[in-house]
């Protein structure tokens, strides 16, 4: 299984050195989106502001940047 890295860029940048195994890029992307939503939820639960410009970067094991996933793209707001 290929290894993908999901780096977090927010108030505390976290570089995923080890990476995780996923079947394909779609599965890795789904995990990145889930992680972003989880981080946003934790901020909301604890009354901390959510910066929708914070993002995750999905990278393959060769160091190629595959996608940037902004927090603003993983949540929707009703009106």
């Amino acid at each position: 299984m290929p290894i993908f890295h999901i780096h977090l860029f927010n108030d505390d940048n976290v570089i995923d050195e080890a990476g995780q195994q996923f079947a394909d890029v779609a599965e890795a992307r789904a995990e990145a989106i889930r992680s972003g939503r989880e981080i946003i939820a934790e901020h909301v639960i604890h009354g901390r502001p959510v910066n929708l410009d914070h993002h995750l970067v999905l990278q393959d094991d060769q160091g190629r940047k595959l996608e940037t996933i902004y927090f603003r793209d993983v949540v929707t707001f009703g009106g």
Side-chain angles (χ1 to χ4, degrees):
M1 259 198 219
I3 295 176
F4 295 91
H5 303 267
I6 301 171
H7 308 299
L8 171 64
F9 294 93
N10 64 2
D11 295 331
D12 300 313
N13 296 341
V14 179
I15 303 303
D16 178 11
E17 297 285 340
Q20 300 173 55
Q21 289 185 332
F22 295 101
D24 54 29
V25 69
E27 188 177 291
R29 182 179 191 280
E31 176 60 19
I33 290 170
R34 188 204 60 74
S35 295
R37 289 176 177 158
E38 186 175 288
I39 293 164
I40 290 168
E42 284 295 314
H43 276 73
V44 171
I45 288 167
H46 296 289
R48 295 191 304 254
V50 175
N51 183 334
L52 296 177
D53 289 327
H54 288 173
H55 59 280
L56 299 134
V57 171
L58 182 59
Q59 185 179 36
D60 68 13
D61 205 30
Q62 306 304 311
R64 292 181 294 243
K65 180 177 164 183
L66 303 174
E67 186 172 1
T68 299
I69 301 166
Y70 286 91
F71 282 14
R72 68 176 163 263
D73 297 328
V74 302
V75 294
T76 57
F77 299 94

